[in-house]
Amino acid sequence: MGLFDKLSGWLGLKKKEVNVLCLGLDNSGKTTIINQLKPIIVCLSVFCLCVLQTQTQDIVPTIGFNIEKFKSSSLSFTVFDMSGQSRYRNLWEHYYKESHAIIFVIDSGDKLRMVVAKEELDTLLNHQDICSRRMPVLLFANKSDLREAMSSVKVSQLLCLENIKDKPWHICASNAVKGEGLQEGVDWLQGT
């Protein structure tokens, strides 16, 4: 059995499994983004047409955390969707050691809480289980469709992302409800 596993890995048939933490303040759109990333699978055969939709129709705020699994073209994702409410943020650090990447979601229309988002991101990146690892950080400047939304460049400046020197990072403007900007982020994450 080990030989077949190695052979499928060499041929690219076996997808690499990655654990991704999805973090951000409450109401930033983390669960909606994860829901949009889950595929809609369509099966065609001679006998029937079946559609298996793994996306959820109704999105509710996450209490504690949820675990979602889905696959992309080259990776098999296990995503830990962590609640952004202040009373649950201390749970985040329990998942740092097992994580291979971080998705950090920012509400680009919420100028008042940008300072809090920066503090949480800084705390996360300075944690002992993360600071010594070259873990990719994907940031979504979400809700970019809102009139009062800041650009991803402005969000990047406010979060001082240019100071992150020891980790690959990328920021994308996104609209989680419509799925805009998400593929760019996932493509970057897969490449990293």
Side-chain angles (χ1 to χ4, degrees), residues 36-121:
Q36 284 287 355
L37 294 176
K38 293 191 291 186
I40 297 175
I41 303 165
V42 178
C43 305
L44 286 170
S45 74
V46 176
F47 304 107
C48 70
L49 167 70
C50 66
V51 176
L52 174 62
Q53 186 166 351
T54 58
Q55 293 180 343
T56 308
Q57 296 299 330
D58 298 321
I59 306 295
V60 295
T62 303
I63 305 297
F65 69 95
N66 288 325
I67 299 174
E68 299 285 349
K69 293 182 181 250
F70 57 91
K71 295 179 181 179
S72 70
S73 60
S74 63
L75 297 174
S76 178
F77 288 96
T78 300
V79 180
F80 297 89
D81 178 12
M82 306 299 292
S83 175
Q85 296 176 0
S86 58
R87 67 176 170 253
Y88 294 111
R89 289 185 204 143
N90 61 339
L91 291 176
W92 295 0
E93 66 185 47
H94 297 290
Y95 297 91
Y96 292 168
K97 283 184 182 178
E98 294 86 25
S99 297
H100 301 108
I102 295 168
I103 296 174
F104 197 86
V105 182
I106 303 106
D107 180 347
S108 62
D110 191 352
K111 294 176 180 122
L112 293 175
R113 294 198 310 158
M114 198 60 65
V115 172
V116 179
K118 181 186 180 335
E119 287 174 3
E120 291 297 340
L121 181 62

Side-chain angles (χ1 to χ4, degrees), residues 127-153:
H127 191 277
Q128 65 184 9
D129 293 335
I130 291 182
C131 67
S132 61
R133 296 169 54 201
R134 192 163 160 74
M135 181 184 295
V137 180
L138 172 61
L139 299 104
F140 284 114
N142 198 31
K143 303 183 184 181
S144 63
D145 57 314
L146 299 177
R147 199 172 39 132
E148 66 275 5
M150 294 173 279
S151 70
S152 59
V153 172

Side-chain angles (χ1 to χ4, degrees), residues 1 15 23 28 65 100 107 120-121 157-158 162 172 186 191:
M1 194 67 167
K15 296 177 187 274
L23 306 172
S28 60
F65 69 95
H100 301 108
D107 180 347
E120 291 297 340
L121 181 62
Q157 291 170 344
L158 290 173
E162 69 278 0
C172 303
V186 171

Side-chain angles (χ1 to χ4, degrees), residues 5-18:
D5 286 339
K6 287 182 182 178
L7 183 60
S8 65
W10 289 328
L11 296 174
L13 301 174
K14 187 175 181 181
K15 296 177 187 274
K16 181 179 179 183
E17 294 185 17
V18 292

